[in-house]
Amino acid sequence: MLSSNLVSDVSAADKKLFEDLNHQKFMLLAIQQAQKVPECPFGAVIVNIKTQKVISEGWVRVEKNPIWHGEMTAIYNCPNTDEGFDWREAALYTTGESCPMCQSAIIWTKMPLVVYGSSIPFLQTCDFGQIDIRAQTVIDASRYGKCAIIGGILESECNELFKRAKELSSKKS
């Protein structure tokens, strides 16, 4: 079921495609990616909307590069080919609502859908230094393109990841 967070300019055909996706299944896969970095559990998967096959996976890799958030790593890991790959047939699932950088990258790819678990306001309560700009605000401000956004999929499971990360951080302090 689509959330009220869905942007209004999505076609009826796209809405139907988005409703047919198994959001819980793909969010569980994003959670598996997030578990690779328990102290910073931002995981992502990119899925072909039509075939419902996973195209790419990603998790936080900021030790290698500060912009390699889960979403950015998943985008980077997408097939490097001109043969049959179409960003407009992809959806990105992420454990935490995309920051402005990641959401902008998603828009630049022209992916039509992003799905997240934990919201930026929740992430801030767990002491993640999220920029206080919601993903929908970035989408609304874009002149380049739009995408739909669905929030709160497996929210409690994603929230638990970030609560545990906060506990790990406080034990190290």
Side-chain angles (χ1 to χ4, degrees):
M1 189 106 154
L2 287 166
S3 124
S4 60
N5 290 341
L6 185 65
V7 293
S8 59
D9 60 352
V10 174
S11 73
D14 281 347
K15 283 183 185 179
K16 177 67 176 128
L17 276 174
F18 299 164
E19 288 174 346
D20 289 344
L21 288 167
N22 186 338
H23 298 305
Q24 280 89 10
K25 171 186 171 183
F26 297 123
M27 187 59 71
L28 283 171
L29 295 174
I31 289 170
Q32 286 177 358
Q33 297 305 309
Q35 290 169 334
K36 293 177 179 179
V37 188
E39 64 279 1
C40 195
F42 290 89
V45 295
I46 297 177
V47 175
N48 181 295
I49 294 169
K50 292 179 180 176
T51 66
Q52 298 201 26
K53 292 193 184 321
V54 174
I55 299 167
S56 179
E57 303 168 329
W59 58 93
V60 168
R61 303 285 309 274
V62 295
E63 76 287 353
K64 291 215 164 268
N65 186 320
I67 67 166
W68 283 7
H69 294 188
E71 300 96 323
M72 299 298 282
T73 306
I75 290 168
Y76 180 78
N77 288 337
C78 275
N80 186 14
T81 178
D82 292 331
E83 299 174 24
F85 182 74
D86 187 349
W87 290 101
R88 294 167 295 184
E89 294 178 357
L92 187 142
Y93 288 78
T94 179
T95 53
E97 182 177 356
S98 298
C99 72
M101 175 188 67
C102 292
Q103 187 58 56
S104 295
I106 293 163
I107 290 168
W108 282 106
T109 67
K110 297 194 179 196
M111 277 188 271
L113 177 64
V114 62
V115 181
Y116 68 85
S118 297
S119 69
I120 285 176
F122 178 80
L123 296 171
Q124 290 169 329
T125 68
C126 292
D127 299 330
F128 284 92
Q130 297 299 102
I131 296 171
D132 199 14
I133 300 172
R134 303 289 304 267
Q136 185 65 56
T137 302
V138 175
I139 294 166
D140 292 342
S142 172
R143 292 181 156 186
Y144 181 74
K146 302 290 182 190
C147 73
I149 187 166
I150 302 171
I153 301 297
L154 296 184
E155 184 174 24
S156 61
E157 291 87 340
C158 291
N159 287 354
E160 280 304 311
L161 291 170
F162 294 104
K163 286 178 190 174
R164 275 187 254 130
K166 182 178 180 177
E167 290 170 10
L168 286 172
S169 174
S170 66
K171 286 178 182 176
K172 288 182 180 177
S173 301

